[in-house]
Amino acid sequence: MIHRRPNGPLFSIYRKPTNKDDFIHYFSAHSKRTKEGVVIGFFLRALRVCSPEFLEEEMQHVCNTFKHLHYHRSKLTHVQRKAEKIMSRPRGEDTHKTQRIMISHSKLTEHLEALVGLTLKIATSSGKKIGDIIREKSSNHNKPLSQVYSIPCGGCDKVYIGETAQGLHKQRIGQHRSALQRHDTRSTFIVHVDSDGHLLKWSQASIIKQGLAPRQRKIGRSGIHSYN
Ligand SMILES: [Zn+2]
């Protein structure tokens, strides 16, 4: 018995009435490390929380739960021993002796761990998660100065469509005006000035859409477009 809690109140694991003990199934696509990590977490919780009177029952409950999820009995026993070993060693022992490195998880991780296992512990990160991608997108939506805009031509029915990350009225119009002063022919509206003699109607510049991710903003081609 590993438990070292002094005599006092009794502790066991509380489960809500709605609890279904539904965790990662053995046949799920998660890595072996992740699955073992989940199981060992339950054993460790039992060892840390339960009073001796309840420990045996709780350990059995964890075993049964994961047996239902198709984990092998021998594997569960192995993980349980591992948890007991962790609880029995003096605190901080592991961190003094073992170095850790952090790498992204891949199929090679387990082979690598087998190679360096005794001297080096490998911790893995799971890489990009769906949540990260969604958060990234929403943060881009919060950039009001990321805009697509239009400026009509003063001499014909064409329109200049542009995009900017710095805001149309805050920066972009000023940049266009200075391009005009410099006669910078990399701007298509300057080419239009040269070929047709038309100037853009700056006063009618308007934002078509704002708060766009750079990828969305650059979907169209900036330049002089005709109305169809
Ligand atoms: Zn024109």
Side-chain angles (χ1 to χ4, degrees):
M1 185 79 63
I2 308 296
H3 208 73
R4 292 184 298 268
R5 186 187 294 282
N7 288 339
L10 294 178
F11 293 96
S12 65
I13 304 291
Y14 171 73
R15 290 184 182 79
K16 288 192 220 173
T18 49
N19 174 57
K20 295 228 171 8
D21 279 334
D22 195 11
F23 308 110
I24 300 179
H25 197 280
Y26 188 74
F27 296 137
S28 78
H30 290 281
S31 69
K32 280 183 190 169
R33 290 170 60 92
T34 303
K35 288 176 221 168
E36 187 179 312
V38 170
V39 178
I40 205 166
F42 283 95
F43 282 129
L44 286 171
R45 182 179 69 169
L47 290 161
R48 285 184 183 127
V49 173
C50 290
S51 306
E53 290 85 340
F54 296 114
L55 184 58
E56 185 66 38
E57 192 189 328
E58 179 61 26
M59 297 301 252
Q60 196 55 51
H61 181 90
V62 175
C63 278
N64 291 339
T65 298
F66 285 96
K67 261 193 270 174
H68 277 122
L69 296 166
H70 288 262
Y71 290 70
H72 292 274
R73 174 177 255 294
S74 60
K75 182 72 187 167
L76 291 171
T77 311
H78 169 76
V79 177
Q80 183 177 344
R81 297 283 165 266
K82 209 166 161 182
E84 287 168 352
K85 211 169 144 192
I86 290 171
M87 289 300 286
S88 67
R89 74 185 168 209
R91 273 172 175 254
E93 186 193 89
D94 181 56
T95 45
H96 282 303
K97 289 185 181 167
T98 318
Q99 299 257 32
R100 286 173 190 275
I101 54 166
M102 181 95 166
I103 56 172
S104 292
H105 180 79
S106 77
K107 281 181 182 172
L108 291 172
T109 314
E110 276 157 34
H111 298 294
L112 191 62
E113 191 176 39
L115 283 173
V116 299
L118 288 174
T119 49
L120 205 58
K121 280 266 179 200
I122 294 179
T124 57
S125 62
S126 57
K128 212 167 204 180
K129 295 185 270 296
I130 288 174
D132 299 334
I133 298 164
I134 292 166
R135 266 195 296 282
E136 222 169 72
K137 275 200 170 167
S138 64
S139 73
N140 281 324
H141 280 290
N142 291 332
K143 291 177 185 161
L145 294 180
S146 173
Q147 299 165 349
V148 171
Y149 59 89
S150 69
I151 309 172
C153 177
C156 68
D157 62 357
K158 286 182 176 168
V159 64
Y160 179 85
I161 304 288
E163 53 89 13
T164 175
Q166 300 160 314
L168 168 63
H169 298 292
K170 196 166 182 230
Q171 284 280 347
R172 198 67 179 137
I173 286 199
Q175 290 166 348
H176 281 327
R177 284 181 190 279
S178 92
L180 185 61
Q181 280 170 5
R182 293 195 314 273
H183 197 83
D184 185 345
T185 49
R186 284 171 302 177
S187 293
T188 51
F189 79 89
I190 306 280
V191 176
H192 191 59
V193 172
D194 286 348
S195 63
D196 296 81
H198 300 159
L199 275 175
L200 297 182
K201 273 196 225 164
W202 306 109
S203 60
Q204 288 180 25
S206 65
I207 296 160
I208 298 171
K209 195 138 187 165
Q210 61 182 2
L212 296 164
R215 239 191 348 245
Q216 293 172 301
R217 213 178 60 222
K218 291 175 187 290
I219 250 167
R221 200 154 50 91
S222 291
I224 297 278
H225 295 265
S226 301
Y227 283 122
N228 286 319

